[in-house]
Amino acid sequence: MIDDRVERLLTKAEEATDRNDLDQAETYRVLAGHAAYLRRKEARDLNRTFAFNDTGATDE
């Protein structure tokens, strides 16, 4: 499932490509890739937190 922010950025990239604004399209693609990376990183961190807490350990 694609995050809404990433999907919007990719849509803007397609629109910029349609306007032949390739620099802007590339910028949107880079931003979409960065947003997707941050979402994956956030998900990994949450998974680690849940796995840590499932072992019976505490954050204290």
Side-chain angles (χ1 to χ4, degrees):
M1 184 164 99
I2 294 179
D3 183 82
D4 289 339
R5 291 172 291 183
V6 174
E7 189 172 355
R8 281 193 308 270
L9 288 167
L10 290 174
T11 300
K12 286 182 178 267
E14 289 176 20
E15 292 169 356
T17 300
D18 291 343
R19 292 189 312 269
N20 205 27
D21 189 353
L22 302 181
D23 288 338
Q24 188 68 46
E26 181 63 19
T27 299
Y28 282 128
R29 282 190 204 96
V30 169
L31 287 171
H34 188 67
Y37 166 78
L38 291 175
R39 290 295 286 176
R40 288 190 305 271
K41 183 178 179 214
E42 180 183 359
R44 278 193 308 268
D45 291 344
L46 283 174
N47 284 337
R48 282 190 201 118
T49 299
F50 291 142
F52 180 74
N53 288 336
D54 285 344
T55 62
T58 60
D59 290 338
E60 298 173 10

